[in-house]
Coordinates of all heavy atoms in Angstrom, one line a residue:
T21 N -14.4 -10.5 0.1 CA -15.8 -10.4 0.3 C -16.6 -10.4 -1.0 O -17.6 -11.1 -1.1 CB -16.1 -9.0 1.1 OG1 -15.4 -9.1 2.3 CG2 -17.6 -8.9 1.3
V22 N -16.1 -9.8 -2.0 CA -16.7 -9.8 -3.3 C -16.8 -11.2 -3.9 O -17.8 -11.7 -4.4 CB -16.0 -8.9 -4.3 CG1 -16.5 -9.0 -5.8 CG2 -16.1 -7.4 -3.9
V23 N -15.7 -11.9 -3.7 CA -15.6 -13.3 -4.2 C -16.5 -14.2 -3.5 O -17.3 -15.0 -4.0 CB -14.2 -13.8 -4.2 CG1 -14.1 -15.3 -4.5 CG2 -13.3 -13.1 -5.1
A24 N -16.5 -14.0 -2.1 CA -17.4 -14.9 -1.3 C -18.9 -14.7 -1.6 O -19.6 -15.6 -1.6 CB -17.1 -14.6 0.2
D25 N -19.2 -13.4 -1.8 CA -20.6 -13.1 -2.1 C -21.1 -13.8 -3.4 O -22.2 -14.3 -3.5 CB -20.9 -11.6 -2.2 CG -20.8 -10.9 -0.8 OD1 -20.9 -11.6 0.2 OD2 -20.7 -9.6 -0.8
A26 N -20.2 -13.8 -4.4 CA -20.5 -14.4 -5.7 C -20.6 -15.9 -5.5 O -21.4 -16.6 -6.2 CB -19.4 -14.0 -6.7
I27 N -19.7 -16.5 -4.7 CA -19.8 -18.0 -4.5 C -21.1 -18.3 -3.9 O -21.8 -19.3 -4.3 CB -18.6 -18.4 -3.6 CG1 -17.3 -18.3 -4.4 CG2 -18.8 -19.8 -3.1 CD1 -16.1 -18.5 -3.5
R28 N -21.5 -17.6 -2.9 CA -22.8 -17.8 -2.2 C -24.0 -17.8 -3.2 O -24.9 -18.6 -3.3 CB -23.1 -16.9 -1.1 CG -22.2 -17.1 0.2 CD -22.7 -16.3 1.3 NE -21.7 -16.3 2.4 CZ -20.8 -15.4 2.6 NH1 -20.7 -14.4 1.7 NH2 -19.9 -15.5 3.5
A29 N -23.9 -16.7 -4.0 CA -25.0 -16.5 -5.0 C -25.1 -17.6 -6.0 O -26.1 -17.9 -6.6 CB -24.8 -15.2 -5.7
A30 N -23.9 -18.3 -6.3 CA -23.9 -19.4 -7.3 C -24.2 -20.7 -6.6 O -24.2 -21.7 -7.3 CB -22.5 -19.4 -7.9
G31 N -24.4 -20.7 -5.3 CA -24.8 -22.0 -4.7 C -23.7 -22.7 -4.0 O -23.8 -23.9 -3.7
G32 N -22.6 -22.0 -3.7 CA -21.5 -22.6 -3.0 C -21.3 -22.0 -1.6 O -22.0 -21.1 -1.2
L33 N -20.4 -22.6 -0.8 CA -20.1 -22.2 0.5 C -18.6 -21.7 0.5 O -17.7 -22.5 0.4 CB -20.2 -23.3 1.5 CG -19.8 -23.0 2.9 CD1 -20.6 -21.9 3.6 CD2 -19.8 -24.2 3.8
P34 N -18.4 -20.3 0.6 CA -17.1 -19.8 0.6 C -16.5 -20.0 2.0 O -17.1 -19.7 3.0 CB -17.3 -18.3 0.3 CG -18.6 -18.0 0.8 CD -19.4 -19.3 0.6
L35 N -15.2 -20.3 2.0 CA -14.5 -20.5 3.3 C -13.1 -19.9 3.2 O -12.2 -20.3 2.4 CB -14.3 -22.0 3.7 CG -15.6 -22.7 3.9 CD1 -15.4 -24.2 3.8 CD2 -16.1 -22.4 5.3
E36 N -12.9 -18.7 3.8 CA -11.7 -17.9 3.6 C -10.6 -18.5 4.4 O -10.8 -18.9 5.6 CB -11.9 -16.5 4.0 CG -10.8 -15.5 3.8 CD -11.0 -14.1 4.2 OE1 -12.2 -13.8 4.3 OE2 -10.1 -13.4 4.4
I37 N -9.4 -18.7 3.8 CA -8.2 -19.1 4.5 C -7.1 -18.0 4.2 O -7.1 -17.4 3.2 CB -7.8 -20.5 4.0 CG1 -7.3 -20.5 2.6 CG2 -8.8 -21.5 4.3 CD1 -6.6 -21.8 2.2
R38 N -6.2 -18.0 5.1 CA -5.1 -17.0 5.0 C -3.8 -17.7 4.9 O -3.6 -18.8 5.4 CB -5.1 -16.1 6.3 CG -6.3 -15.3 6.6 CD -6.6 -14.3 5.5 NE -7.8 -13.5 5.9 CZ -7.7 -12.3 6.4 NH1 -6.6 -11.7 6.6 NH2 -8.9 -11.6 6.6
T39 N -2.9 -17.0 4.2 CA -1.5 -17.6 4.0 C -0.5 -16.4 4.3 O -0.9 -15.3 4.4 CB -1.2 -18.1 2.6 OG1 -1.1 -17.0 1.7 CG2 -2.3 -19.1 2.2
T40 N 0.7 -16.7 4.4 CA 1.7 -15.7 4.4 C 1.6 -14.8 3.2 O 1.2 -15.3 2.1 CB 3.1 -16.3 4.6 OG1 4.1 -15.2 4.8 CG2 3.6 -17.0 3.3
A41 N 2.1 -13.6 3.3 CA 1.9 -12.7 2.1 C 3.3 -11.9 1.9 O 3.4 -10.8 2.4 CB 0.8 -11.6 2.4
P42 N 4.1 -12.5 1.2 CA 5.5 -11.9 1.0 C 5.4 -10.7 0.0 O 4.8 -10.8 -1.0 CB 6.3 -13.0 0.4 CG 5.3 -13.9 -0.3 CD 4.1 -13.8 0.5
S43 N 6.1 -9.6 0.4 CA 6.2 -8.4 -0.4 C 7.7 -8.2 -0.7 O 8.4 -8.1 0.2 CB 5.6 -7.2 0.3 OG 6.0 -6.0 -0.3
D44 N 8.0 -8.0 -2.0 CA 9.4 -7.8 -2.3 C 10.0 -6.6 -1.7 O 11.2 -6.5 -1.6 CB 9.5 -7.9 -3.9 CG 9.7 -9.3 -4.4 OD1 9.1 -10.2 -3.8 OD2 10.5 -9.5 -5.3
F45 N 9.2 -5.6 -1.5 CA 9.7 -4.3 -0.9 C 9.6 -4.2 0.6 O 10.0 -3.3 1.2 CB 9.1 -3.1 -1.6 CG 9.6 -2.9 -3.0 CD1 8.7 -2.8 -4.0 CD2 11.0 -2.8 -3.2 CE1 9.2 -2.6 -5.3 CE2 11.4 -2.6 -4.5 CZ 10.5 -2.5 -5.6
V46 N 9.0 -5.3 1.2 CA 8.9 -5.3 2.7 C 9.6 -6.5 3.3 O 10.4 -6.4 4.2 CB 7.4 -5.2 3.1 CG1 7.3 -5.2 4.7 CG2 6.8 -3.8 2.7
T47 N 9.2 -7.7 2.8 CA 9.8 -8.9 3.3 C 11.3 -9.0 2.9 O 12.0 -9.9 3.5 CB 9.0 -10.1 2.7 OG1 7.6 -9.9 2.8 CG2 9.3 -11.4 3.4
S48 N 11.7 -8.2 2.1 CA 13.2 -8.2 1.7 C 14.1 -7.6 2.7 O 15.3 -7.6 2.6 CB 13.4 -7.4 0.4 OG 12.9 -6.1 0.5
A49 N 13.5 -6.9 3.8 CA 14.3 -6.2 4.7 C 15.2 -7.1 5.6 O 16.3 -6.8 6.0 CB 13.4 -5.4 5.7
G50 N 14.7 -8.3 5.9 CA 15.4 -9.2 6.7 C 16.3 -10.2 6.0 O 16.0 -10.7 4.9
R51 N 17.5 -10.4 6.5 CA 18.4 -11.4 6.0 C 18.8 -11.2 4.6 O 18.9 -12.2 3.8 CB 17.9 -12.8 6.3 CG 17.6 -13.2 7.7 CD 18.9 -13.3 8.6 NE 19.8 -14.1 7.9 CZ 19.9 -15.4 8.1 NH1 18.9 -16.1 8.7 NH2 20.8 -16.1 7.5
K52 N 18.9 -10.0 4.2 CA 19.3 -9.6 2.8 C 18.4 -10.3 1.8 O 18.8 -10.7 0.7 CB 20.7 -10.2 2.5 CG 21.8 -9.7 3.5 CD 22.0 -8.2 3.5 CE 23.1 -7.8 4.4 NZ 23.1 -6.3 4.6
A53 N 17.1 -10.3 2.1 CA 16.0 -10.7 1.2 C 16.0 -12.2 1.1 O 15.3 -12.7 0.2 CB 16.0 -10.0 -0.1
R54 N 16.6 -13.0 1.9 CA 16.7 -14.4 1.8 C 15.3 -15.1 1.9 O 15.1 -16.2 1.4 CB 17.6 -15.0 2.9 CG 19.1 -14.9 2.5 CD 20.0 -15.4 3.6 NE 21.4 -15.5 3.3 CZ 22.2 -14.6 3.3 NH1 21.9 -13.3 3.8 NH2 23.5 -14.7 3.0
Y55 N 14.4 -14.4 2.6 CA 13.1 -15.0 2.8 C 12.2 -15.0 1.5 O 11.1 -15.7 1.5 CB 12.3 -14.4 3.9 CG 12.8 -14.8 5.3 CD1 13.6 -13.9 6.1 CD2 12.6 -16.1 5.8 CE1 14.1 -14.3 7.3 CE2 13.1 -16.5 7.0 CZ 13.8 -15.6 7.8 OH 14.3 -16.0 9.0
L56 N 12.5 -14.1 0.6 CA 11.6 -13.9 -0.5 C 11.3 -15.1 -1.4 O 10.1 -15.5 -1.5 CB 12.1 -12.8 -1.4 CG 11.9 -11.3 -0.9 CD1 12.5 -10.4 -1.9 CD2 10.5 -11.1 -0.7
M57 N 12.3 -15.7 -2.0 CA 12.0 -16.9 -2.8 C 11.4 -18.1 -1.9 O 10.5 -18.7 -2.4 CB 13.3 -17.4 -3.5 CG 13.4 -16.9 -4.9 SD 12.2 -17.5 -6.0 CE 12.7 -19.2 -6.2
P58 N 12.0 -18.3 -0.8 CA 11.4 -19.4 0.1 C 9.9 -19.2 0.4 O 9.2 -20.2 0.6 CB 12.3 -19.4 1.3 CG 13.6 -18.9 0.8 CD 13.2 -17.9 -0.2
T59 N 9.5 -17.9 0.5 CA 8.1 -17.7 0.8 C 7.1 -18.2 -0.3 O 6.0 -18.5 0.0 CB 7.8 -16.3 1.2 OG1 8.2 -15.4 0.1 CG2 8.4 -15.8 2.4
R60 N 7.6 -18.2 -1.5 CA 6.8 -18.7 -2.6 C 6.4 -20.1 -2.3 O 5.2 -20.5 -2.4 CB 7.6 -18.6 -3.9 CG 6.8 -19.1 -5.2 CD 7.7 -19.4 -6.3 NE 8.5 -20.6 -6.1 CZ 9.3 -21.2 -7.0 NH1 9.5 -20.6 -8.2 NH2 10.0 -22.2 -6.7
D61 N 7.3 -21.0 -2.0 CA 7.0 -22.4 -1.7 C 6.3 -22.6 -0.3 O 5.6 -23.5 -0.2 CB 8.3 -23.2 -1.8 CG 8.9 -23.1 -3.2 OD1 9.6 -22.1 -3.5 OD2 8.7 -24.0 -4.0
L62 N 6.6 -21.6 0.6 CA 5.8 -21.7 1.8 C 4.4 -21.5 1.6 O 3.5 -22.2 2.2 CB 6.4 -20.6 2.8 CG 5.9 -20.6 4.2 CD1 6.2 -21.9 4.9 CD2 6.5 -19.4 5.0
V63 N 4.0 -20.6 0.7 CA 2.6 -20.3 0.4 C 2.0 -21.5 -0.2 O 0.8 -22.0 0.1 CB 2.4 -19.1 -0.6 CG1 1.0 -19.0 -1.1 CG2 2.8 -17.8 0.1
V64 N 2.7 -22.2 -1.2 CA 2.2 -23.4 -1.8 C 1.9 -24.5 -0.8 O 0.8 -25.1 -0.8 CB 3.3 -24.0 -2.8 CG1 2.7 -25.3 -3.4 CG2 3.6 -23.0 -3.9
N65 N 2.8 -24.7 0.2 CA 2.6 -25.7 1.2 C 1.4 -25.2 2.2 O 0.6 -26.1 2.6 CB 3.8 -25.9 2.0 CG 4.9 -26.6 1.2 OD1 4.6 -27.3 0.2 ND2 6.1 -26.5 1.7
D66 N 1.3 -24.0 2.4 CA 0.2 -23.4 3.2 C -1.2 -23.7 2.6 O -2.1 -24.2 3.3 CB 0.5 -21.9 3.4 CG -0.1 -21.3 4.7 OD1 -0.9 -22.1 5.3 OD2 0.2 -20.2 5.0

């Protein structure tokens, strides 16, 4: 919200998008943490 307000004030149109959000201490619970490194590249593609 802070970023979006600043973009508007500067004359831009902010458009929020969401991606996956991997946490090393939460996303590591499944499959012996196999999802952690792959999520980095999943975010890039997202």
Side-chain angles (χ1 to χ4, degrees):
T21 299
V22 171
V23 172
D25 288 345
I27 291 170
R28 287 192 193 92
L33 174 64
L35 296 160
E36 184 179 340
I37 66 170
R38 302 294 183 102
T39 72
T40 189
S43 162
D44 272 37
F45 285 126
V46 176
T47 313
S48 59
R51 301 296 308 278
K52 308 297 183 188
R54 283 177 169 85
Y55 284 106
L56 281 180
M57 264 296 287
T59 53
R60 182 196 71 177
D61 298 81
L62 188 61
V63 171
V64 179
N65 291 340
D66 208 347

